[in-house]
Amino acid sequence: MSTAKKHPKAPTPPSSKLAATDHPVHDLIARRFSPRAFANKPIDDATLRSIFEAARWAPSAFNAQPWSFIVARREDETAFEKASSMLMDGNKRWATEAAALVLVMAQTHDPETGRNYSHGRHDVGLATGFLLLQALDHDVYAHPMAGIHRDKIAEAYGIPEHFEPITALALGYLGEPADLPDDLEERERAPRSRRPQDDFVHMGEW
Amino acid sequence: MSTAKKHPKAPTPPSSKLAATDHPVHDLIARRFSPRAFANKPIDDATLRSIFEAARWAPSAFNAQPWSFIVARREDETAFEKASSMLMDGNKRWATEAAALVLVMAQTHDPETGRNYSHGRHDVGLATGFLLLQALDHDVYAHPMAGIHRDKIAEAYGIPEHFEPITALALGYLGEPADLPDDLEERERAPRSRRPQDDFVHMGEW
């Protein structure tokens, strides 16, 4: 059973963005990409909750669940402006058109025992993977961004010292590539590329 | 379109393993869990390739694709025994019944430029998230393990110094919980638990 609600009038992704796979993969994985063109359409609360619920049920080392998210919806102008100011300029150009921005934090240690969460970043990445695919099942695209001002986030939001900002996500329904500045439109239409499996799947020995 | 081939005779997961979600999530996410009981049934090559293809198409910072996998199939006794010896004892008890073991590495830096891959672990986690859900679409369950001998892996496999071992995965079709030792059978039937969203989803401010 899929939780997707279809939006038949939504723009279709550029065909260059469908993964040119060497082996078949699930539709959610094949059509996922990181867009820069977003529609001016909010994400309702039930959809947002479903998206974070997917992250919630990800596995993590010792079930530590080391993830934390700050969600800024476009409708909340103060929150959205604040979150936007945490993005590096290259991302600010397009990500401020998204329906929501999400700041993603990973727990680094247990403040009581001092125990190191050495799998924190890994597990937050894994949960983000679940989040991305769940979003897409609602036709919501997520664009993860490494280009953020981490120190500024930690200070501006008073992030506890046992968490570190890792990424931000732009979330939204797909927009029209033609509405982007020319250089970004070109990137929005460029084919996706990946190294072949032979480069990173080693059978038996490295 | 789903890539799943259904295995109607396969054991069904204990109902306690279906995520008790507060909000609806995609079926692949709701029924994913980390089993210890695996069937004595190999994973064919097409299925394995599809599983790694899903990881291949994950997003990564600057499209660096910092993941690498060593795959040991049960049919290859030498490779499987070697991979098994990289697991900590608690995992060895059950994971050596899996159809395949996978060692997961993250790139730490670019050996030519020295550039730090600060998102390596995160991005490998994200790719692993895609891999887990793709596996499940083939009814293959993956159990990620933090309990591995990292230094031993690096040495035994001659991992290049710009990669670090992160996790291992046990992959296989579902087996019968009743075939496990009593203490593991109990864990195999125990309900899954997660903190509520209010603990980790912050609206607007931390």
Side-chain angles (χ1 to χ4, degrees):
Chain A
M1 184 192 70
S2 169
T3 51
K5 290 173 191 165
K6 295 301 169 198
H7 303 275
K9 288 178 190 171
T12 50
S15 58
S16 52
K17 293 303 183 186
L18 190 70
T21 61
D22 291 338
H23 305 276
V25 295
H26 192 284
D27 171 66
L28 288 177
I29 292 168
R31 64 189 172 91
R32 186 215 62 81
F33 76 105
S34 298
R36 289 177 183 80
F38 288 103
N40 184 7
K41 175 179 168 180
I43 303 170
D44 67 32
D45 194 59
T47 301
L48 267 185
R49 288 294 170 186
S50 166
I51 290 170
F52 289 103
E53 191 74 7
R56 182 183 172 215
W57 287 95
S60 56
F62 307 104
N63 201 18
Q65 309 165 55
W67 39 76
S68 211
F69 304 94
I70 296 174
V71 186
R73 305 167 80 151
R74 212 181 166 65
E75 306 91 286
D76 182 345
E77 283 180 32
T78 309
F80 194 82
E81 178 54 40
K82 181 172 176 175
S84 300
S85 72
M86 305 299 149
L87 305 179
M88 288 189 183
D89 287 344
N91 289 327
K92 226 180 261 182
R93 287 182 68 199
W94 54 267
T96 48
E97 301 298 321
L101 293 170
V102 180
L103 306 175
V104 183
M105 271 67 61
Q107 190 165 350
T108 55
H109 61 280
D110 181 328
E112 291 181 14
T113 64
R115 193 174 138 244
N116 185 26
Y117 277 35
S118 59
H119 282 76
R121 290 182 180 199
H122 171 276
D123 293 348
V124 168
L126 202 161
T128 298
F130 280 22
L131 184 159
L132 263 52
L133 298 180
Q134 180 64 60
L136 201 56
D137 195 40
H138 296 288
D139 289 332
V140 172
Y141 284 73
H143 188 144
M145 294 173 272
I148 56 173
H149 298 293
R150 290 151 186 258
D151 292 347
K152 194 173 165 184
I153 292 171
E155 193 180 324
Y157 288 92
I159 308 289
E161 54 93 37
H162 58 291
F163 280 89
E164 59 174 359
I166 301 286
T167 61
L169 309 173
L171 290 183
Y173 296 97
L174 221 52
E176 295 290 356
D179 293 340
L180 288 168
D182 286 354
D183 61 326
L184 295 184
E185 179 181 356
E186 194 178 326
R187 294 174 74 179
E188 193 80 351
R189 296 191 190 280
R192 300 171 60 207
S193 70
R194 293 293 189 278
R195 293 200 307 257
Q197 284 199 26
D198 283 351
D199 273 15
F200 64 88
V201 179
H202 311 277
M203 299 306 289
E205 290 289 340
W206 182 279
Chain B
M1 183 191 69
S2 170
T3 51
K5 290 174 189 162
K6 296 301 170 198
H7 302 276
K9 288 178 188 171
T12 50
S15 59
S16 52
K17 292 304 182 185
L18 191 70
T21 61
D22 291 339
H23 306 276
V25 294
H26 192 285
D27 171 66
L28 287 177
I29 291 168
R31 65 189 172 89
R32 186 215 63 80
F33 75 105
S34 298
R36 290 179 181 80
F38 288 103
N40 184 7
K41 176 180 169 177
I43 303 170
D44 67 32
D45 195 58
T47 301
L48 266 184
R49 288 292 169 186
S50 166
I51 289 171
F52 289 103
E53 191 74 7
R56 183 182 171 216
W57 288 95
S60 56
F62 307 104
N63 202 19
Q65 309 165 56
W67 40 74
S68 212
F69 304 94
I70 297 173
V71 185
R73 304 167 79 152
R74 210 182 169 66
E75 307 89 287
D76 183 345
E77 283 180 31
T78 308
F80 194 83
E81 177 54 40
K82 182 172 175 176
S84 300
S85 72
M86 305 298 150
L87 306 179
M88 289 189 181
D89 287 343
N91 290 327
K92 226 179 262 181
R93 288 183 68 199
W94 53 268
T96 49
E97 300 299 320
L101 292 171
V102 180
L103 306 176
V104 183
M105 271 67 61
Q107 191 166 349
T108 55
H109 61 280
D110 181 329
E112 292 180 15
T113 64
R115 192 175 138 244
N116 185 25
Y117 277 36
S118 59
H119 281 75
R121 291 183 180 199
H122 171 276
D123 293 347
V124 168
L126 203 162
T128 298
F130 280 22
L131 185 159
L132 261 53
L133 298 181
Q134 180 64 60
L136 201 56
D137 195 40
H138 297 287
D139 290 332
V140 172
Y141 284 73
H143 188 145
M145 294 173 272
I148 56 174
H149 298 293
R150 291 153 184 254
D151 292 346
K152 193 173 166 185
I153 292 171
E155 194 180 324
Y157 288 93
I159 308 290
E161 55 94 36
H162 57 293
F163 280 89
E164 59 175 357
I166 300 285
T167 61
L169 308 173
L171 291 182
Y173 297 97
L174 222 50
E176 295 289 357
D179 293 341
L180 289 168
D182 286 353
D183 60 327
L184 294 185
E185 179 182 355
E186 194 179 326
R187 292 174 74 179
E188 193 80 351
R189 298 191 190 278
R192 299 172 61 208
S193 69
R194 292 294 189 277
R195 293 200 305 257
Q197 283 198 26
D198 284 351
D199 272 16
F200 65 87
V201 179
H202 311 276
M203 299 306 289
E205 291 289 341
W206 181 280

